[in-house]
Amino acid sequence: MENGNLKLALQKKGRLSDRSIELLKHCGLDIETYSERLMVTVRNYNVDLLFLRDDDIPEYVQDGVADIGIVGEDVVYEKQSDIIVSEKLGFGRCRLMIAAPNDNVPEEPSDLKGKTIATSYPNILKKYLAENKIDSKVIEISGSVEIAPSLGVADLICDIVSTGTTLMMNKLKKSFTVFESEAVLISNKWLQEDKEKYAVLNDLLLRIRSVLSAKNSKYLMMNVPKKNLDKVIGLIPSLKSPTILHLADEESLAVHAVIPSEQFWKIIGDLKAAGASGILLFPIENMII
Ligand code: ATP
Ligand code: MG
């Protein structure tokens, strides 16, 4: 169906589905129920959502069946499709790691030499081995990679590791990381040639970037004794110069600043020690830098 809308491919059902929809809703897209349909039109934006298996997304975007897509970097690099990675999205973070039977865990890449490694990511693993000049045998297995060593099919595995529970149940221990992944927005290489769709992509990217930077930032407000102002300002990892406001109490000033979220707990003790009081931290909904 060609209606001129930008076609965005999403994972139908899986680890990336909910977070992808959540991100798009934060970007102001009005998305209704999406569970059972292959395609959904967004009411207030020139985008159609296509719900697919994640493995198919890079190729569909490469071939222009979809114009853009949200998928894990692990799938993007494994599939080796000819697409553009337009933005990292900060969710769906995971690691592709080497794991081995408890009594024989490799400590460094060179320990993989001469071993047989089972994985569902043969392309990423082979590239890693080639870059590290290691000669190993790679066996591709599509699911339940963790049982390969006990079946005697492989010495080691290379797989996505989260909590490590599955590994433990199979008497395996994680070793080192081969690839780190997060969800990314990918686009078709020729999309620039369609001016209207390309404009929608750029608008969507602007919205996504503003949502992501807002999520990573917080608005900090506090009162500070005038005499300690320089000290407090030195402590604030502010994105821009902090705002200083006068108070009715002439001994103090109000200081406002946008700071990276993860910094707050690191500086709070020093701020208090410098006499800061009435410290408030607010979430930011959107941020256009
Ligand atoms: P599909 O049915 O669409 O093929 P799938 O079973 O192949 O789904 P999921 O398990 O839903 O895929 O994982 C989708 C993506 O989520 C992976 O490609 C990876 O980028 C990311 N991912 C996988 N495991 C984890 C994890 N433990 N924590 C966070 N993200 C993960
Ligand atoms: Mg899949």
Side-chain angles (χ1 to χ4, degrees), residues 55-283:
D55 313 62
D56 298 330
I57 292 176
E59 201 174 317
Y60 278 157
V61 171
Q62 171 189 277
D63 298 346
V65 178
D67 301 303
I68 62 173
I70 295 180
V71 66
E73 281 176 301
D74 53 340
V75 175
V76 169
Y77 291 102
E78 184 56 32
K79 298 290 173 191
Q80 302 181 325
S81 301
D82 198 10
I83 47 86
I84 297 171
V85 174
S86 301
E87 189 68 35
K88 292 196 179 222
L89 300 176
F91 64 88
R93 288 206 169 95
C94 58
R95 286 159 176 238
L96 199 55
M97 296 187 78
I98 297 288
N102 289 332
D103 52 1
N104 204 0
V105 183
E107 282 174 15
E108 50 184 276
S110 62
D111 295 340
L112 301 178
K113 202 171 150 220
K115 305 277 190 207
T116 303
I117 313 170
T119 186
S120 337
Y121 293 87
N123 290 325
I124 292 180
L125 179 58
K126 281 179 191 163
K127 186 159 179 273
Y128 176 86
L129 293 169
E131 277 167 7
N132 286 279
K133 300 190 174 54
I134 299 160
D135 202 7
S136 312
K137 188 171 173 205
V138 175
I139 297 183
E140 180 175 357
I141 296 184
S142 56
S144 304
V145 174
E146 62 284 349
I147 61 171
S150 56
L151 292 177
V153 193
D155 303 310
L156 313 157
I157 66 165
C158 174
D159 202 9
I160 290 190
V161 175
S162 38
T163 57
T165 320
T166 318
L167 292 182
M168 221 159 65
M169 277 163 29
N170 287 281
K171 299 196 171 61
L172 299 172
K173 210 168 153 194
K174 63 184 172 191
S175 181
F176 49 85
T177 302
V178 165
F179 186 81
E180 290 193 37
S181 173
E182 67 184 271
V184 285
L185 185 94
I186 58 170
S187 349
N188 176 278
K189 266 185 123 175
W190 313 110
L191 195 58
Q192 286 198 49
E193 291 174 12
D194 185 325
K195 293 250 169 333
E196 280 168 26
K197 283 186 175 181
Y198 194 59
V200 179
L201 169 63
N202 282 324
D203 183 75
L204 182 64
L205 279 173
L206 178 81
R207 294 183 185 206
I208 288 175
R209 286 174 189 143
S210 94
V211 168
L212 295 180
S213 30
K215 208 170 69 187
N216 294 330
S217 305
K218 291 267 189 314
Y219 196 83
L220 173 68
M221 288 169 61
M222 64 197 152
N223 293 345
V224 175
K226 263 185 187 165
K227 60 178 171 32
N228 288 354
L229 182 66
D230 287 345
K231 195 167 175 192
V232 166
I233 287 179
L235 291 169
I236 301 175
S238 179
L239 295 178
K240 296 259 164 65
S241 175
T243 305
I244 314 290
L245 300 167
H246 290 281
L247 295 175
D249 159 18
E250 295 209 338
E251 300 299 302
S252 304
L253 293 165
V255 177
H256 294 191
V258 175
I259 62 164
S261 311
E262 82 274 9
Q263 295 286 333
F264 179 69
W265 295 109
K266 291 184 190 150
I267 58 168
I268 179 79
D270 291 338
L271 288 176
K272 287 187 78 174
S277 61
I279 301 174
L280 300 175
L281 192 69
F282 295 95

